[in-house]
Amino acid sequence: MKLLLNTDDLWTAIDGYFEDCLVSRDEALEAALTASAKAGLPQINVAPNQGKLLMLLARAIGARRILEIGTLGGYSTIWLGRGLPPDGKLITLEAKPQHAEVARGNIARAGLDAIVEVRVGRAQGMLPSLADEGPFDLIFIDADKFGTPGYFQWAVKLSRPGSLIIVDNVVREGALLDAGGGDPDVQGMRRFFDLAGADKRVSGTALQTVGAKGHDGFAILLVTSEPGPEPSA
Ligand SMILES: C[S@@+](CC[C@H](N)C(=O)[O-])C[C@H]1O[C@@H](n2cnc3c(N)ncnc32)[C@H](O)[C@@H]1O
């Protein structure tokens, strides 16, 4: 097999195999991807097997309230929404009105509009106003990567002991190791790791992933104690 396929194709083929075996494709999810592509949105949504992981994690912890930062066309939102009970609540933050509009259509088509609310604006400005709506049981951070350290700090504030914080795109094709480079997204991720590593209120790990989305990874952090003062790191 390795002789027949280059690495990217092999990873993509294995993702396809996992999807065939375990991640049933359905109309609403496929329609969300089609509508997003048709509207010209970038195809930077999570892969189907990653989306299903988000759904399973939400179910495993019995999540009732979810916060997502970075909606795009609502593909990961649909997966997360499916991890909630019928009376659950998911708030997803999106900076671009056009993305939010496409997402709302996709979420409604998936039958989740009663429990999912798409809020438009920059997350930095909206997060402080969510204090009265938390705590959230699961927070998925997947917006601009430079902003990740700030989103992480807000995620901890908006959590409770037992909440999960998941951060996407932490590896960036290995660029994460480029300490002195000028890429602000990489610097954002490195700053996030510094903060998370120094923060005694969370216990985390990170995993590299390969697949249809190339070489990347995600960090997953469990909030272990009541949110308190931020560490000085
Ligand atoms: C990687 S995409 C999200 C993908 C989505 N979570 C999925 O997997 O289907 C990032 C999204 O975050 C949005 N975004 C970027 N900066 C933002 C900010 N400061 N506040 C809120 N959303 C932002 C972008 O417009 C884009 O739609």
Side-chain angles (χ1 to χ4, degrees), residues 45-46 70-72 75-76 94-95 99 121-124 142-144 151:
N45 50 277
V46 296
T71 318
L72 191 66
Y75 185 75
S76 55
E94 172 53 52
H99 292 188
R122 283 169 54 76
Q124 293 88 336
D142 190 20
D144 62 303
Y151 304 147

Side-chain angles (χ1 to χ4, degrees), residues 33 41-42 44-47 50 54 68-80 92-97 99-100 119-126 140-145 147 151 168-169:
L33 293 179
L41 270 53
I44 50 173
N45 50 277
V46 296
Q50 296 167 342
L54 294 173
E68 179 180 57
I69 306 173
T71 318
L72 191 66
Y75 185 75
S76 55
T77 320
I78 293 172
W79 279 111
L80 285 165
T92 181
L93 311 180
E94 172 53 52
K96 295 194 173 169
H99 292 188
R119 295 191 185 171
V120 184
R122 283 169 54 76
Q124 293 88 336
M126 291 191 285
F140 180 48
I141 301 176
D142 190 20
D144 62 303
K145 307 308 163 183
Y151 304 147
D168 199 13
N169 305 124

Side-chain angles (χ1 to χ4, degrees), residues 139-171:
I139 300 172
F140 180 48
I141 301 176
D142 190 20
D144 62 303
K145 307 308 163 183
F146 182 70
T148 300
Y151 304 147
F152 165 69
Q153 287 172 313
W154 270 107
V156 178
K157 281 186 201 153
L158 297 169
S159 297
R160 56 162 178 83
S163 295
L164 278 185
I165 299 171
I166 302 169
V167 181
D168 199 13
N169 305 124
V170 301
V171 174

Side-chain angles (χ1 to χ4, degrees), residues 27 78 84 188:
E27 226 172 275
I78 293 172
L84 283 170

